[in-house]
Every structure is written in structure tokens, then in C-alpha cells.
Amino acid sequence: MKIHDARSWEREAACAGTDPRLWFGEDDVRESGSDAHRRRENAKAICRTCPVLTDCLVDELLRPHPEQHGIRGATTPGERARILARWRAAGLVPGHASPANADALRALLGEEPRQRTA
Ligand code: SF4
């Protein structure tokens, strides 16, 4: 999926090169509730330092089939579902990655519309 500038923001991702297990947990390993909570909070702490947090979150929320696991844009899947519910309540249509929808979602998140290059 492409939004605006072909995901050039991913080059600035603070999670680049980190262990994916921090974001998704370890395959076939059942975490205790406290371990999962600690892992998610550690991942969110990295997200909060990320210069492209909003780009990441908007990209995730505009997917036709949102990721059901893992931390993206300092949110859990449940937190993203609540943002999408607010988006639907505002009369907007999730799952359609137009620049207008991306800007509407940015506004909902309290961000300015993205400057577009021609
Ligand atoms: S907000 Fe988090 S998951 Fe998204 S690119 Fe940044 S560090 Fe990675």
C-alpha cells in the first residue's frame, strides 16, 4: 500500500534493526500477562521516540486488513481498534488509503495534514 510518498518514512523508523520479538512476542511461546505487558511497554517506549510514529500509525490504520498482533505506532491491536471505532463514528471510512483519508485520520490523531510533494 502506498500513502503519499511511497513509505519513505520507514527509513526513519526507530524500530529498524530491532528484534521483532519485542514487537510481536516469540513464536510458539506463551507469555505470562506481566511479561507481555512489560514487552509491549518496552516496544511502546521505543515508538514514543520514533520520528515517524504518526506515519506508522496512519499506515497501519489505513490497511484493508489491520494487523491483529504487535505494537505499531505505540498502540496495541486493541488500542488501534478503538481509534478505528472513533474514526467510523466520525463518519469516515477505514481501509481506504486515499490522501484525504490519511489527512482525516491525522486530524483525528491531532496531527497536521502531511505536506505533499508534486
Ligand atoms: S512508531 Fe514504532 S512500530 Fe512504528 S516505525 Fe516507529 S518504532 Fe516502528
Side-chain angles (χ1 to χ4, degrees):
M1 175 182 355
K2 294 184 178 182
I3 300 172
H4 304 315
D5 58 356
R7 300 173 63 115
S8 62
W9 57 268
E10 288 183 320
R11 290 191 290 270
E12 300 176 55
C15 57
T18 61
D19 187 338
R21 291 176 294 187
L22 178 61
W23 309 92
F24 296 98
E26 196 159 356
D27 285 347
D28 303 326
V29 173
R30 182 179 285 277
E31 290 177 295
S32 70
S34 61
D35 284 350
H37 178 75
R38 188 168 30 253
R39 177 183 55 74
R40 287 192 296 262
E41 290 304 311
N42 287 337
K44 286 180 173 185
I46 294 173
C47 288
R48 291 187 192 105
T49 71
C50 182
V52 293
L53 187 154
T54 303
D55 298 274
C56 173
L57 185 53
V58 167
D59 180 71
E60 182 61 34
L61 293 172
L62 286 174
R63 289 175 187 260
H65 305 290
E67 177 65 64
Q68 297 300 309
H69 305 284
I71 300 298
R72 292 284 313 268
T75 61
T76 63
E79 290 165 339
R80 293 193 293 273
R82 287 191 283 281
I83 292 170
L84 284 171
R86 283 173 49 209
W87 197 17
R88 289 187 190 98
L92 300 168
V93 182
H96 179 51
S98 72
N101 266 352
D103 283 347
L105 184 52
R106 284 177 179 282
L108 190 67
L109 296 169
E111 298 281 331
E112 295 293 318
R114 176 172 268 266
Q115 297 290 321
R116 293 190 184 85
T117 54

